[in-house]
Amino acid sequence: MDAVRAGCPAAAGFHAGTLVARESTGGCHGVPLLPACAKLLSCLAYWGADDLPAAQRAFGYGVEKLQRGTLPMEALQNCGLPALDASLGQLVLASPNMKRTVLSACTACIAADGGVTVEEAELLRAIADSLDCPIPPFLAGQPLAAA
């Protein structure tokens, strides 16, 4: 991959208005991460929703947390464990700030219906662990914090 010019704001994970991956050395390379974010949020939205409008709403809450404008939601048939794994494989290259933003978006997506199931909480923990940002276990019955 061609390296992005010097001066890339690697610590923030952004370049020219597009989320990009960064190398472990602190440099950037032009791997856009927004498609991976969209795929991850799409998978989460479908898995936690009872119907398409609820999935679209959850996806919208997640995308809103990214603060990068609108993103297209993946079709249901494109979402599954392979899609989740592929998106996490790209997002692990993001900066710590970007990973924090992605986890915030995932949390908003999962909590869009006002509740978090045990399965959703464990999925969020697995995503965070995959991004090298482990989070502690959730305790049943904890209220959702206002976002």
Side-chain angles (χ1 to χ4, degrees), residues 4 6 9 12 15 21 33 38 52 58 63 67 70-72 77 81-82 85 95 99-101 103 130 134-135 143:
V4 175
H15 176 68
L33 296 180
L52 182 59
V63 169
Q67 299 179 354
T70 61
L71 291 176
Q77 63 267 24
L81 290 179
D85 189 49
S95 71
K99 289 178 184 180
R100 187 175 14 259
T101 301
L103 288 175
S130 295
I135 55 177

Side-chain angles (χ1 to χ4, degrees), residues 39-140:
K39 188 167 283 197
L40 174 62
L41 293 175
S42 296
C43 292
L44 292 177
Y46 286 121
W47 289 337
D50 293 328
D51 55 30
L52 182 59
Q56 290 170 330
R57 189 171 43 256
F59 179 79
Y61 284 139
V63 169
E64 187 176 295
K65 288 291 183 179
L66 294 176
Q67 299 179 354
R68 306 305 296 166
T70 61
L71 291 176
M73 187 173 183
E74 289 283 335
L76 177 59
Q77 63 267 24
N78 295 335
C79 293
L81 290 179
L84 181 72
D85 189 49
S87 63
L88 291 173
Q90 292 177 324
L91 291 169
V92 74
L93 301 173
S95 71
N97 286 341
M98 176 57 193
K99 289 178 184 180
R100 187 175 14 259
T101 301
V102 169
L103 288 175
S104 177
C106 290
T107 302
C109 185
I110 286 172
D113 61 358
V116 177
T117 66
V118 171
E119 292 82 11
E120 289 171 328
E122 289 304 314
L123 180 57
L124 180 62
R125 290 187 66 226
I127 290 168
D129 192 50
S130 295
L131 296 177
D132 298 324
C133 300
I135 55 177
F138 296 93
L139 299 176

Side-chain angles (χ1 to χ4, degrees), residues 25-40:
T25 60
C28 286
H29 47 89
V31 179
L33 296 180
L34 284 175
C37 290
K39 188 167 283 197
L40 174 62

